[in-house]
Amino acid sequence: MALVGTKKMFEMAYNNGYAVGAFNVNNMEITQGIVEAIVEEKAPLILQISRGAREYASMSYLKGIIDVAVAENPDIPIAMHLDHGDTFETCKQCVDDGFTSVMVDASSKPFEENIAITKKVVEYAHAHGVVVEAELGQLGGIEEDVVGVSHEDIAKHLTNPDEAVEFVEKTGCDSLAVACGTSHGAYKFKTEPTLALDVIQKIADKLPGYPLVMHGSSSVLKEFKDLINKYGGDMPDAMGVPESAISEAVKMAVCKVNIDTDLRMALTAKIRQVFAEKPREFDPRKYLGPGRQAIKDMVKHKLQILGCSGKAAECM
Ligand code: G3H
Ligand code: 13P
Ligand code: ZN
């Protein structure tokens, strides 16, 4: 089976109260770790590529890696998705490059402008059989290439449920990323995690049957934070979204959950451990290999939280 879009995945996820994991890829080891976990768990998969990933690895290398994953695993539905496309031109390029799903993120623009850009992307993408995720409201935090709002301002930037309805009607986007208090990266909260799950519920009530997306959904697991800090890292204040909140959200209407930071932390923790325990090691396979295994274990764990293990067949 070739790469697929997300329509069927979201339909099944919505109807059965689970979510599909969308994992960011930047190189071969990350992709292999994710795919190995997905294959063992028989789960549907969204592999997502940010603008930074395209710049880092080049699209032809990433596409080559993903093509191999698809060819070797015909029983697994895999979508290739652009994460945070910032302009119409970027989204168009990705449609032309063979992505099956693109995100246009004009959420930092005024409402009407966000609608106009999103609508233009939807028209082009749909004409080429590609689905579109858009974003309304703003995530907190600031990460490279992805502009967000300060943590203090988060409450003001949560997605407005009435605007969400108008936005979806006017743009025709296939799924909507909503702001509910999450942010990108490893430093999501300063004290207690606070999420506005009620906002998700309100949007879900107003848009029955419509798939929502949660960005910034890494949990910054203690085990990996501790490993990083033990082996020379310095991230004592890292904090993520509690996994219990993710489980609640996927039972509402959240059909896609974006995870990048937890994979980065798993890889980093393992590499730091190898370097600390084997200071004479210099063969990349001897630290990237364990790093790839750590990613695989992390993804398997995530699939349990998302509830999508064993769902590959129904999403084909
Ligand atoms: O949304 C952000 C993802 O974590 C991708 O991050 O832009 O550094 O590749 P990146
Ligand atoms: P995390 O930084 O929480 O992993 O979020 C990733 C994301 O939203 C990618 O779009
Ligand atoms: Zn994101």
Side-chain angles (χ1 to χ4, degrees):
M1 174 150 199
L3 286 169
V4 296
T6 55
K7 210 171 171 45
K8 181 83 177 174
M9 291 181 191
F10 289 171
E11 187 189 317
M12 299 314 291
Y14 189 97
N15 290 336
N16 296 297
Y18 63 86
V20 181
F23 302 101
N24 287 73
V25 293
N26 293 280
N27 68 10
M28 183 187 75
E29 283 80 4
I30 295 173
T31 313
Q32 286 178 326
I34 297 166
V35 171
E36 282 175 22
I38 290 286
V39 168
E40 277 184 25
E41 292 294 318
K42 298 184 171 52
L45 172 63
I46 299 168
L47 288 173
Q48 54 186 13
I49 297 172
S50 69
R51 205 180 73 203
R54 281 168 69 91
E55 283 163 13
Y56 172 76
S58 95
M59 200 45 225
S60 45
Y61 271 88
L62 288 176
K63 179 78 165 50
I65 293 166
I66 292 171
D67 282 345
V68 173
V70 171
E72 286 188 350
N73 301 291
D75 299 337
I76 303 291
I78 300 179
M80 184 167 77
H81 173 77
L82 167 67
D83 192 26
H84 294 283
D86 55 340
T87 61
F88 170 76
E89 286 70 29
T90 304
C91 295
K92 177 182 181 302
Q93 185 64 57
C94 288
V95 169
D96 296 346
D97 283 348
F99 280 64
T100 55
S101 171
V102 294
M103 175 190 192
V104 51
D105 179 2
S107 61
S108 61
K109 302 273 193 297
F111 185 62
E112 293 300 336
E113 208 178 322
N114 188 356
I115 289 179
I117 297 170
T118 301
K119 195 165 182 288
K120 193 171 167 193
V121 171
V122 167
E123 279 164 8
Y124 187 80
H126 282 184
H128 293 77
V130 172
V131 288
V132 178
E133 172 187 330
E135 179 167 327
L136 184 64
Q138 280 184 274
L139 303 190
I142 291 180
E143 189 167 358
E144 195 188 351
D145 287 345
V146 180
V147 181
V149 295
S150 72
H151 287 275
E152 288 69 30
D153 285 346
I154 282 174
K156 283 186 256 162
H157 294 270
L158 298 176
T159 307
N160 175 312
D162 291 317
E163 283 186 357
V165 176
E166 186 183 344
F167 186 88
V168 168
E169 277 171 3
K170 286 191 171 162
T171 63
C173 61
D174 302 278
S175 61
L176 186 67
V178 294
C180 63
T182 65
S183 57
H184 293 115
Y187 306 94
K188 299 184 194 298
F189 306 100
K190 289 203 177 99
T191 50
E192 278 301 291
T194 37
L195 282 194
L197 291 180
D198 58 313
V199 166
I200 296 183
Q201 190 58 61
K202 279 184 195 139
I203 299 168
D205 290 345
K206 284 177 186 283
L207 287 169
Y210 191 82
L212 303 179
V213 178
M214 226 171 126
H215 282 245
S217 301
S218 281
S219 296
V220 183
L221 297 168
K222 184 175 172 348
E223 180 189 341
F224 294 89
K225 186 170 95 165
D226 289 350
L227 271 180
I228 288 173
N229 291 329
K230 178 175 173 187
Y231 292 115
D234 184 18
M235 325 178 50
D237 47 344
M239 197 186 294
V241 178
E243 290 185 332
S244 55
I246 305 285
S247 299
E248 269 185 69
V250 306
K251 285 188 207 102
M252 295 173 177
V254 171
C255 296
K256 171 174 179 275
V257 171
N258 284 17
I259 296 168
D260 186 6
T261 294
D262 280 340
L263 305 191
R264 294 179 181 198
M265 287 184 71
L267 181 65
T268 301
K270 192 43 81 174
I271 291 175
R272 278 191 177 282
Q273 184 177 7
V274 174
F275 283 165
E277 290 176 349
K278 298 178 185 167
R280 292 175 68 79
E281 186 55 71
F282 66 96
D283 179 344
R285 295 169 297 187
K286 298 288 168 46
Y287 52 88
L288 291 176
R292 177 175 58 192
Q293 180 64 41
I295 286 183
K296 178 178 175 181
D297 296 342
M298 177 66 79
V299 171
K300 279 188 146 196
H301 171 72
K302 292 291 166 188
L303 298 177
Q304 302 306 320
I305 308 292
L306 302 180
C308 63
S309 286
K311 309 293 189 188
E314 69 184 33
C315 294
M316 297 294 269

